[in-house]
Structure formats: structure tokens, C-alpha cells
Amino acid sequence: MNSSYELPQDEAAYSFGFLDEYAKREVRRTVLKAICIPGYQTPYASREMPMGRGFGTGGLQLTLSLIGPDDTLKVIDQGSDDSVNAVNLRQFVELTCPGVDTTESTREATLIQSRHRVPETTLTEAQVLVLQVPYPDPLVVVEPSEAKRKIMHGEGDYSRLLTKLYEDIVKFDEITISHRYPTRINGHYVIDPSPIPRYDVPGLHQSAALILLGAGREKKIYAVPPYTDAVPLAFDDVPFRTEDFRDRKGQRIACARCGSTESFLDEFTDDRGRKVHQCSDSDYCNERLSTQAFAGEMGA
Ligand SMILES: [Zn+2]
């Protein structure tokens, strides 16, 4: 190849944020509508991305449409900044959004794209959380026809979903949904809050940060605007409860690294075959460790 050959400028690079300006504008317009109708699954023309659908293309399109050169981005997958999906998405944004800073710190980030977790650290008004969604419609488990589901959503008719939860209680004495817990937004639409654990659902309620949910394959965007009610479906006599991580003696299990008894824990088996628990949110765990180290130095 001729080494002195240079591509013409307009062919040499993608536009800022990979997507063309029209695509980004459409996503932003959809976001505005989604904020105006909290919890409503707003359709949009999801674009082809250079990665397989199901790898966070919906979340990525939101991130790329909203991010600007002044933003600081954090990408997490199951609470970790270092997993393959998070690393790849972060590198893609670094590649296509020159000048954008990336971080692993929840506090420093202005935009957080996440899969399967809401950060442990409480978010602020200055932050936006983007959640990647595989299946946006909670009614899909009880009604296969999208046309009928739309009518049910419009009428706020979630009786069949409640019946499903009731069947769970009859069979198992409790509601067994561990992820994607149906949650009512602003007193009307029930959303699938993406595969976050039940533990994270209360984090959506009256959140100071704007929460946007993007489903690329299903071409839907919906939102939990700041300071909006997000109430998990439950019954008066069987209230919603989260995972509580207690051992056989009823003691709350602590993180093996930082000792936290207030975080969502991952369980794994160590080299000796023992069960070990650790914070799923790696930034939260690391921050606690460094604070403890600092306190130790000051005390010494
Ligand atoms: Zn920890």
C-alpha cells in the first residue's frame, strides 16, 4: 500500500460518537418523550452497531447520543469495571469520542452505563445512569401479542402480572423473581427494570439521577426521571423484599475484602473450596478499602 496515501478527511473518521447526527438527534428526541411519560416504552429506530445485539447496543446508543467532550464515563458490567463487556464498550467510546474522560469511580462519572447493577454509591442530580435492557416489556411473560400488551399498558391493567406473582406465592411461599422485578413507575406504567437484582430496585425510587433504559434489539427506550416513584409490584400481606444475605445463624454476611454488611454480595468458591462473599460493586469495595487504609495510617 502507498504509505503516503491519506484518506480524505470525511472518510477518514467516524463522526463524534460513531452515530451520525440524525441518529443521535432521534435518540435524544426519544429520550425527551420517555422522560415526559415515565416508564413508557418509547419506540425508536435502533441502529446497527458494530457489535452483536444483546451486547448492550441499546445502552450504547443512549450513551453515544448523550455524551459530550465534557463528560466522564464509567462502564460497568455486573458491578465490575474490568469484565470483558465493560472493557470493550469503554474502549469503543474512547475510540469514537475523542476528548471524553473515562473513570472507574462512581463519584467522578457524569454518565454511567451499566449492565445488571445500579451502583452502590448513591447517585446525584449531576449524573445519568444508562441501563442495558434485553427485554423491555414485563408483560411478555403473560401476553405474547404486542398489540394487546400495549392496550394493557395503556389501561394500567397489570392484573395478569399480579396473578403470576400470586402463583409464585402459592407454589413457593414467596415471590421467586430474582432479577427483572416488575416495577411501577410514577403510579402507572410497569417496567422491566433490566436484569438488576431485586436488591437494586429500591435504588430507582426517587433517584436524584436520571435513569434511562435502552433496549437495542427491541428498539425501545424508557426512563425513570429524577425524583419519581418506582414501586415494585407486591401485595399488602406479602410485601416486596430484597436479598438479605444472611448465614444459617441469621447473621448478615460481610464482604470478605472490605467488611461491608450493606452491599450486594457475589458468592464464589475459593481455592480451598470455601464459600467467599465479596461486594459485587468493585468501585464501592475499593473505595471502602482505601478509606480504611487511610484511616489506619492516620491512626498509626
Ligand atoms: Zn467489599
Side-chain angles (χ1 to χ4, degrees), residues 255 257-260 279 285:
C255 165
R257 280 183 83 220
C258 73
S260 173
C279 297
C285 199

Side-chain angles (χ1 to χ4, degrees), residues 5-248:
Y5 178 78
E6 281 181 18
L7 278 170
Q9 193 56 46
D10 58 345
E11 289 176 30
Y14 291 105
S15 56
F16 183 87
F18 182 78
L19 295 168
D20 62 81
E21 292 306 318
Y22 295 105
K24 286 190 276 188
R25 199 179 299 168
E26 198 228 339
V27 171
R28 287 183 209 127
R29 231 185 264 139
T30 309
V31 166
L32 288 176
K33 180 169 176 181
I35 293 169
C36 292
I37 319 174
Y40 174 68
Q41 296 168 55
T42 319
Y44 78 112
S46 178
R47 305 293 163 122
E48 288 293 334
M49 299 300 288
M51 64 183 68
R53 288 193 166 152
F55 286 84
T57 56
L60 187 61
Q61 288 177 71
L62 278 168
T63 296
L64 293 172
S65 302
L66 299 173
I67 204 163
D70 299 334
D71 275 307
T72 305
L73 175 75
K74 171 179 167 79
V75 186
I76 34 177
D77 180 6
Q78 312 252 21
S80 163
D81 298 82
D82 299 327
S83 62
V84 179
N85 193 235
V87 170
N88 283 337
L89 289 175
R90 187 162 56 239
Q91 282 177 352
F92 183 78
V93 174
E94 282 168 349
L95 199 71
T96 55
C97 304
V100 165
D101 286 329
T102 52
T103 181
E104 294 189 2
S105 159
T106 304
R107 289 179 209 282
E108 282 173 17
T110 55
L111 196 59
I112 301 167
Q113 180 171 337
S114 173
R115 173 177 177 265
H116 291 199
R117 278 309 310 276
V118 171
E120 216 75 57
T121 310
T122 308
L123 302 178
T124 69
E125 285 177 9
Q127 296 175 306
V128 176
L129 174 66
V130 171
L131 289 170
Q132 299 169 201
V133 180
Y135 307 106
D137 199 332
L139 287 175
V140 80
V141 290
V142 293
E143 175 53 60
S145 153
E146 182 169 6
K148 284 186 187 158
R149 292 202 299 269
K150 281 192 166 179
I151 295 171
M152 289 160 78
H153 278 297
E155 293 175 344
D157 174 10
Y158 297 106
S159 49
R160 282 162 68 185
L161 210 49
L162 285 163
T163 310
K164 187 99 177 61
L165 299 185
Y166 176 71
E167 282 171 3
D168 249 23
I169 295 169
V170 170
K171 266 192 217 160
F172 307 107
D173 280 341
E174 61 172 333
I175 298 169
T176 54
I177 305 170
S178 61
H179 292 77
R180 300 175 53 204
Y181 195 97
T183 304
R184 192 188 293 269
I185 306 303
N186 200 30
H188 186 104
Y189 290 106
V190 171
I191 63 164
D192 180 324
S194 85
I196 54 173
R198 278 194 298 197
Y199 187 89
D200 283 347
V201 172
L204 307 179
H205 181 65
Q206 292 290 326
S207 157
L210 167 65
I211 299 165
L212 296 171
L213 300 101
R217 184 180 43 203
E218 305 289 331
K219 304 184 173 73
K220 298 279 165 52
I221 288 171
Y222 47 107
V224 184
Y227 304 111
T228 301
D229 285 349
V231 182
L233 287 189
F235 301 96
D236 291 344
D237 53 342
V238 184
F240 172 80
R241 64 179 188 88
T242 60
E243 301 84 341
D244 61 357
F245 302 104
R246 289 184 192 280
D247 61 16
R248 277 191 218 129

Side-chain angles (χ1 to χ4, degrees), residues 255-260 263 265 278-279 281 284-286 288:
C255 165
R257 280 183 83 220
C258 73
S260 173
S263 64
L265 299 171
Q278 220 171 71
C279 297
D281 186 331
Y284 170 84
C285 199
N286 291 338
R288 276 180 54 89

